[in-house]
Amino acid sequence: MHALQPLLAAFVPIWALTAVGYLVSRTGLLGEQAELVLGRFVFHVAMPAALFTMLAKAPLGTFANASMLAFATGTLVASLLGWAGARWLFGRAPADRAISGMAAGYVNSANLGIPVAVQVLGDASFVGPVLLFQVLLVTPVILGLLDAGTDGGAGGGADGSAARATRSARVGRMLRLPLRNPIILASALGALCSAVGWHPPAALGQSCQLLGNAGVPTALITLGMSLHGRPSTEGNTLRAEVGLAVVAKNLIQPLVAFAVGSLLLHLTAHQLLAVVICSALPTAQNVFIYARQYGLNTALPRDSVLWSTLLSMITLSAIDWTLAPTSH
């Protein structure tokens, strides 16, 4: 029997910590700058520590398999749909398009994916490759687009030499991105440690682990703080944009993964269930953190995280009931 209660247990911490953040902001307990400071702490300190720790001990070859091809295809289609909608339907700027694409296709694979996988699949072995794929391939692309889209030195010069200088500056900025961005730098260092088989000393590894453990709860509290005192000024436009992101995330991404996995790759029943379940996970709170860090409008990622998380309880249960083997 496929019950909703085991899945509910995985979602409760998300809603609880988000509610704590809302109450903290409503009471003014941490002051006016708390949301900004906590967001910077997650982006610059806690999240890099978590990614380094995870990648340093992860076998990098695990995400090169047929199941990941189905997952990657669903991610690509959903992300492109979010990006295209932001450009042609809602007229968003380039950096906001990157956030829209990420909101539509970047799954909450860590703090929600692991408990859901354990409950539905019996183990979390497929979540590891999903994490590697998002951290090593998707995240650098998104952050590169955000960095380029928020570059203040984009003024076009009147002559060719000025234009060439601008292009050179942009190229140099992009080449330095791994050194300037703590998320990419920590991921690269962790992947390098894994590739060469070097493990950090126990004291350093435990310190990074403790620091990284603060990332997810702090991000959720920051998300909850953003819900207080932030009435939307975009009305129907924002609702339509959030609706597109949620439909792409909760429905289109798992449907594409299912089609590719079943019709083209002929995955086994368990492999197919793992791919579709992970594809149907809701939008990760990282999207909100990145939008806040780059000074973008956080209404879309905030609402996308909340609504996709709420609706995913229904879609994940439906997928489990439909695709799980009878012996599950």
Side-chain angles (χ1 to χ4, degrees), residues 64-123:
N65 56 65
S67 297
M68 281 307 303
L69 180 59
F71 178 85
T73 304
T75 299
L76 178 62
V77 171
S79 299
L80 287 177
L81 182 60
W83 180 90
R87 176 177 181 177
W88 285 299
L89 295 180
F90 307 110
R92 299 300 184 188
D96 289 304
R97 296 173 205 163
I99 289 295
S100 296
M102 191 178 184
Y106 198 96
V107 307
N108 190 341
S109 57
N111 60 305
L112 188 55
I114 292 174
V116 167
V118 170
Q119 294 288 351
V120 176
L121 305 174
D123 64 81

Side-chain angles (χ1 to χ4, degrees), residues 199-225:
H199 299 287
L204 176 61
Q206 291 174 1
S207 300
C208 289
Q209 183 75 48
L210 285 172
L211 192 55
N213 288 343
V216 169
T218 307
L220 289 171
I221 288 174
T222 307
L223 177 66
M225 294 177 72

Side-chain angles (χ1 to χ4, degrees), residues 313-327:
M313 292 184 62
I314 301 173
T315 54
L316 288 169
S317 299
I319 291 168
D320 182 32
W321 183 80
T322 305
L323 297 182
T326 54
S327 59

